[in-house]
Amino acid sequence: MAAIYEGVLAVWPVSTAGEPLGPPRRITTESAHAPSWAGDSRHILYQSIDKLRIIDVETGEVRMAPLDLKYTPAIPKGRIIVHAGKLVDMKSPTVRSNVDIVIEGNRITSVVPHAAGNHAGQVVDASSLTVMPGLVEFHSHLQKDFGEAAGRAWLAFGITTIRSPGNTPYEAVEDREANEAGVRPGPRVYGTGYLMEWQRVYYKMGIAISSVAQFEMELQRAKVLQHDLIKSYVRLPDLQQKRMVEFAHSIGVPVATHEIYPAAFVGVDNTEHTGATSRRGYSPKIATLQRSYEHVVQLFGRSGRIFCPMISPAGTRRLLDLDPDLANDPRFKLYPLWIQEQLVSRQMNAFAAPVDPAAGSGKMVMDIMRAGGLVVAGTDTPNAINLHGEIAAYTLAGMTNYEALKAATVNPARALALDAGTIEAGK
Ligand SMILES: [Zn+2]
Ligand SMILES: [Zn+2]
């Protein structure tokens, strides 16, 4: 029998009933993944980070299996004019009217008052519509089971960037590269591989790391696969989290976690969720009675940390209350039936905690924003309408419309070092 054991390939003898007849024998010293026996029961094909190898189990001899995977980013060419009836450029709360946005290749070259003479090349007539920057969903785990339609659904709801903070590593890379290459229509993806866990996992996209040596192999995999961030999950000890930050920052990527302290102290960049699971067995951010205290607010504020609250249910409910017909929006047909049914039956937010500017998560979000934390909108859901719900929830908490929209445009662009988030020349 063969399996990946503490990150490396191991084999052991078994009886015809599958009972082990001896201890596992490690046959690689390097990271291994997805083993597959050859028909001769002697060779195993396996993946080692970004290579395919074949090992002879009896002699230990390893050879490479040829693999040539390349892709070319699909960068738009030519000139496009977007004629905007109204423009929310997110540089200021002021709405502009009747402008032409001139785009050459993949850059905006100018934003000018509309004139018929500007209309050379391809023209997008949005003269009866409002144009604004593409929205960023800062926390949604991309899942293959939604099929390629999921990418089109994000775009149809105006979401042009997704940060996927935990996935199986090779699917994460495939999602990013396929969208970048234009093979599948979808948003740009900032992703990572496994949620890094210790000994046990919470979710299918977690990995149970059981030794310091395996941890180092996982960090190397994150580097070689060029993940955009690394996620320190609930059971990773504080000491390993500190090492993760040193490693991630040495390769120029951020670390995200649910934790606030000592995460802020050792330089973890992002803190996800108002509450959620914690390695301490209780939430160090928000108390059981849904109150977040000043020391937590100041840790966010003074470290200027990136805070993704994820309080969308009350906001999505608000959108459905304002427009009951929204549940029948044809864009939801891009989703599996269970999501469509959730929307119509309103199950998805039946238990939504109300968002209150004076208490609970609503007050926590406002206090952190005022203290200097950078609020970025995310939902931890696969359904694009919830990002609109998250933005609505911020207005219920007391943000102005402009502040709430910044949390899904300007702020995440800054957090991702993405040259976007506003509509102006050079973006
Ligand atoms: Zn989470
Ligand atoms: Zn999550």
Side-chain angles (χ1 to χ4, degrees):
M1 190 174 281
I4 305 305
Y5 192 83
E6 295 185 335
V8 299
L9 182 57
V11 293
W12 62 98
V14 292
S15 72
T16 50
E19 289 157 3
L21 298 174
R25 176 169 66 92
R26 291 171 174 80
I27 56 171
T28 67
T29 51
E30 56 177 18
S31 171
H33 190 83
S36 168
W37 282 102
D40 62 8
S41 295
R42 175 168 168 169
H43 294 87
I44 297 173
L45 174 73
Y46 66 98
Q47 192 168 2
S48 181
I49 305 190
D50 63 341
K51 305 270 189 298
L52 282 182
R53 299 184 203 274
I54 297 164
I55 188 165
D56 181 328
V57 172
E58 281 169 30
T59 65
E61 185 202 337
V62 178
R63 61 192 160 87
M64 300 284 292
L67 178 71
D68 184 25
L69 297 175
K70 289 195 184 73
Y71 78 100
T72 311
I75 298 170
K77 293 187 181 72
R79 176 183 157 104
I80 297 178
I81 313 294
V82 180
H83 178 193
K86 294 213 182 316
L87 173 66
V88 176
D89 63 11
M90 292 311 294
K91 286 164 61 188
S92 80
T94 312
V95 179
R96 295 168 67 183
S97 293
N98 206 27
V99 298
D100 286 327
I101 303 159
V102 183
I103 303 158
E104 305 267 2
N106 59 355
R107 291 272 165 193
I108 297 170
T109 53
S110 61
V111 180
V112 292
H114 163 70
N118 297 336
H119 285 201
Q122 190 188 341
V123 177
V124 176
D125 180 10
S127 57
S128 60
L129 300 170
T130 301
V131 175
M132 63 171 295
L135 299 173
V136 182
E137 158 63 273
F138 205 76
H139 190 127
S140 177
H141 304 271
L142 294 178
Q143 316 229 4
K144 289 292 186 196
D145 38 356
F146 279 56
E148 67 82 35
R152 289 184 284 131
W154 291 116
L155 296 178
F157 281 98
I159 296 162
T160 51
T161 303
I162 304 275
R163 174 176 168 276
S164 179
N167 203 334
T168 53
Y170 299 101
E171 290 184 347
V173 172
E174 199 275 342
D175 276 328
R176 183 185 64 205
E177 294 184 353
N179 289 8
E180 235 173 70
V183 172
R184 279 198 305 267
R188 75 168 67 76
V189 174
Y190 284 78
T192 189
Y194 292 126
L195 307 169
M196 293 204 193
E197 284 268 48
W198 205 253
Q199 310 288 358
R200 289 193 296 144
V201 294
Y202 256 96
Y203 293 112
K204 64 180 180 185
M205 63 278 200
I207 184 166
I209 298 170
S210 50
S211 67
V212 167
Q214 188 186 357
F215 182 50
E216 291 297 325
M217 283 194 287
E218 283 305 320
L219 294 176
Q220 281 304 322
R221 169 150 59 188
K223 177 183 175 181
V224 173
L225 298 185
Q226 297 178 24
H227 291 324
D228 302 294
L229 68 138
I230 305 180
K231 182 89 176 259
S232 155
Y233 212 64
V234 170
R235 292 188 182 84
L236 192 76
D238 290 330
L239 197 60
Q240 271 68 41
Q241 179 170 266
K242 181 167 179 283
R243 164 68 187 141
M244 179 186 279
V245 170
E246 286 163 7
F247 179 86
H249 289 181
S250 78
I251 60 167
V253 301
V255 171
T257 181
H258 290 187
E259 300 286 334
I260 178 67
Y261 194 84
F265 176 63
V266 299
V268 174
D269 304 271
N270 304 350
T271 296
E272 319 275 323
H273 306 284
T274 51
T277 47
S278 165
R279 68 193 58 153
R280 286 163 227 291
Y282 60 92
S283 172
K285 294 173 292 187
I286 195 161
T288 312
L289 295 177
Q290 296 299 300
R291 181 164 260 289
S292 195
Y293 292 95
E294 189 62 11
H295 62 283
V296 172
V297 169
Q298 291 304 327
L299 276 169
F300 276 100
R302 294 193 195 184
S303 62
R305 46 199 311 98
I306 298 158
F307 174 45
C308 188
M310 292 176 264
I311 57 168
S312 68
T316 305
R317 185 168 61 189
R318 172 93 177 130
L319 296 178
L320 288 161
D321 286 345
L322 287 170
D323 177 9
D325 203 35
L326 177 62
N328 302 311
D329 187 301
R331 290 173 288 186
F332 292 121
K333 294 274 185 280
L334 292 164
Y335 287 128
L337 208 54
W338 65 267
I339 287 208
Q340 298 175 39
E341 284 166 358
Q342 253 189 355
L343 279 155
V344 174
S345 67
R346 311 279 297 262
Q347 295 157 8
M348 59 191 294
N349 41 36
F351 304 104
V355 172
D356 179 350
S361 57
K363 182 172 188 305
M364 179 185 183
V365 172
M366 294 307 288
D367 286 350
I368 288 173
M369 184 181 84
R370 289 183 182 126
L374 188 71
V375 177
V376 291
T379 69
D380 217 1
T381 76
N383 184 348
I385 194 63
N386 290 329
L387 184 66
H388 296 265
E390 181 82 13
I391 297 166
Y394 296 159
T395 66
L396 296 175
M399 284 193 201
T400 64
N401 290 344
Y402 181 61
E403 286 168 333
L405 287 173
K406 273 176 87 171
T409 53
V410 177
N411 296 358
R414 198 177 118 199
L416 296 168
L418 169 65
D419 200 6
T422 56
I423 293 185
E424 59 185 309
K427 293 288 174 177

